[in-house]
Amino acid sequence: EEGKDFKGMRDLAGLWRAYNKTYGGYTYFSLAHEAKSLLAVVQKEPHNAATDAIISVRLYNLYQNIHKNPKLIAEAERLLLATPMEKSFAAKNPVYDRVCMGRRKECKCG
């Protein structure tokens, strides 16, 4: 239970969101995109939970080290927005193991 068993939670997607002037709103990034843009780490397929955990801690520590410096945060946002995004798993596999991934344009289930 939050506040009892642990102090609180932080969502990396929320910490590393970036305001996108082109769309007039915030862009949220995948863990793989954040790792690639900010840590120069390219995740290999298939996903590995232990590697994801290590990357998550590294991204959180980076945020903790720079979040009070507006210039460094702005540079991180610039990197996140400038790095080309890879297609998501659902975009690459609209149907996986005969299960529709729910992408509106590629939906096969109706």
Side-chain angles (χ1 to χ4, degrees):
E1 182 180 331
E2 188 170 0
K4 179 182 174 189
D5 299 316
F6 58 95
K7 185 175 180 179
M9 290 188 293
R10 302 299 300 257
D11 181 2
L12 289 174
L15 295 178
W16 290 114
R17 70 183 185 168
Y19 188 77
N20 191 324
K21 293 177 186 173
T22 303
Y23 299 107
Y26 286 96
T27 298
Y28 293 82
F29 305 97
S30 69
L31 184 70
H33 185 79
E34 291 169 358
K36 181 179 171 185
S37 304
L38 302 173
L39 303 174
V41 171
V42 177
Q43 290 183 286
K44 298 175 184 161
E45 295 289 333
H47 263 276
N48 176 313
T51 302
D52 285 353
I54 292 165
I55 288 170
S56 294
V57 170
R58 289 185 60 199
L59 285 165
Y60 180 74
N61 288 338
L62 176 63
Y63 178 81
Q64 284 298 105
N65 288 330
I66 72 169
H67 80 279
K68 292 182 180 176
N69 186 323
K71 287 182 183 179
L72 292 177
I73 288 293
E75 177 61 13
E77 289 178 359
R78 187 194 68 73
L79 287 169
L80 286 162
L81 291 167
T83 303
M85 283 200 236
E86 306 256 338
K87 284 186 172 183
S88 70
F89 179 86
K92 290 178 191 173
N93 305 280
V95 176
Y96 185 78
D97 203 17
R98 296 187 320 224
V99 175
C100 178
M101 294 289 108
R103 293 190 42 93
R104 287 181 218 139
K105 293 180 182 176
E106 295 97 2
C107 183
K108 305 293 184 206
C109 65

